[in-house]
Amino acid sequence: MPYSERDRVRRFARVDPLIFLGGICLAFVAGFVNSISLCYFHVPISHMTGAVTRLSIDMAGLNFSEFINLSYIVFGFLSGAVFSGAVIGARNFKPAIEYSILMTVESLLLFASVFLFKSKANSALFFVAFACGLQNAMASNYMGLIIRTTHVTGIMTDLGVLIGQALRHKQVKFWKIGFLVSILVGFFSGGLAGFSIFRWISFYSNFVPAAMCLIGAAGFYVLRVRKRRMPRPF
């Protein structure tokens, strides 16, 4: 029997309020990492539209050095998404240890990227793009929403559609709009913080999102996975 909108709101608030916080934090991480990459390599790292466009321009202009750099980004993002899809293996969100594992892997990739940035190795681009692709593919269907945290194109589109539907049908889905706005604000705040901290400690600023992912992995495991596995008292 399908849920009514009221049932969905109640179920959302009762079962997974942590999804709001998790979505905001992951969007913050993506915005943070993307701003660092833009400051250091002058290329976007968390969304592929601009990267693929630049790839085609560099190929047409025979700019092979930039073409190679962007190839690391595109292939890294794709590889991260493949890895994430293989580990999770499900479209709908459910509390599972696989999410903690992926966030731990993302943290390790970002930690490793700090030392690769230091040597200006192109592999730093691959590692960071892999982390972003992994995170974006972690997104799952959750009560009719597709959660994407590494770029805001889809967020803006979904937000616009919801507002347009509300204007036409006079039925406002406040929790969906609030959730999308929260992710948008998280991404913006991450970019702001990333740029500010990058000016202070340069590429070492990647330690911040790496630590956030590690803390998030541990927190998700304790608050969702471990709690779910604990036997219920009689």
Side-chain angles (χ1 to χ4, degrees):
M1 184 176 182
Y3 289 101
S4 67
E5 186 62 28
R6 181 177 298 178
D7 291 334
R8 291 188 179 198
V9 172
R10 287 177 178 174
R11 181 170 175 263
F12 182 85
R14 184 175 68 251
V15 178
D16 276 313
L18 193 63
I19 299 301
F20 268 110
L21 180 60
I24 294 170
C25 290
L26 288 175
F28 182 93
V29 166
F32 196 110
V33 170
N34 199 47
S35 67
I36 294 172
S37 300
L38 281 169
C39 290
Y40 202 76
F41 287 107
H42 309 291
V43 291
I45 204 79
S46 67
H47 52 283
M48 292 296 99
T49 305
V52 173
T53 301
R54 283 282 306 274
L55 198 67
S56 63
I57 292 173
D58 290 332
M59 177 176 283
L62 302 180
N63 188 355
F64 295 114
S65 60
E66 289 298 321
F67 180 86
I68 292 173
N69 286 339
L70 289 165
S71 296
Y72 275 101
I73 295 174
V74 174
F75 184 66
F77 193 95
L78 176 63
S79 300
V82 170
F83 180 79
S84 185
V87 171
I88 294 177
R91 291 182 58 84
N92 295 317
F93 173 82
K94 58 181 180 180
I97 194 172
E98 285 81 4
Y99 289 94
S100 289
I101 292 173
L102 288 177
M103 291 181 68
T104 302
V105 172
E106 180 177 0
S107 175
L108 295 175
L109 288 166
L110 293 175
F111 272 120
S113 72
V114 172
F115 304 101
L116 294 173
F117 272 125
K118 187 176 182 180
S119 61
K120 296 185 178 180
N122 287 334
S123 51
L125 289 172
F126 178 85
F127 272 52
V128 175
F130 192 105
C132 287
L134 178 152
Q135 177 179 311
N136 200 49
M138 282 172 57
S140 305
N141 288 323
Y142 184 77
M143 296 181 64
L145 280 181
I146 298 177
I147 306 172
R148 292 286 183 257
T149 57
T150 65
H151 56 277
V152 297
T153 304
I155 299 298
M156 296 292 283
T157 302
D158 292 342
L159 187 60
V161 169
L162 286 173
I163 293 173
Q165 290 174 345
L167 292 174
R168 176 167 180 173
H169 302 293
K170 308 301 181 182
Q171 295 178 350
V172 182
K173 300 177 180 178
F174 289 108
W175 75 266
K176 289 186 176 182
I177 293 175
F179 181 74
L180 294 175
V181 170
S182 298
I183 293 180
L184 182 61
V185 171
F187 191 92
F188 178 84
S189 301
L192 185 64
F195 176 73
S196 301
I197 297 176
F198 179 85
R199 291 194 300 176
W200 181 35
I201 56 175
S202 188
F203 50 80
Y204 291 107
S205 49
N206 251 8
F207 280 136
V208 174
M212 288 183 64
C213 287
L214 195 59
I215 294 170
F220 181 82
Y221 179 79
V222 172
L223 296 176
R224 282 293 179 265
V225 181
R226 188 170 180 271
K227 183 178 179 180
R228 191 186 185 199
R229 292 180 176 180
M230 290 177 63
R232 295 182 179 179
F234 292 102

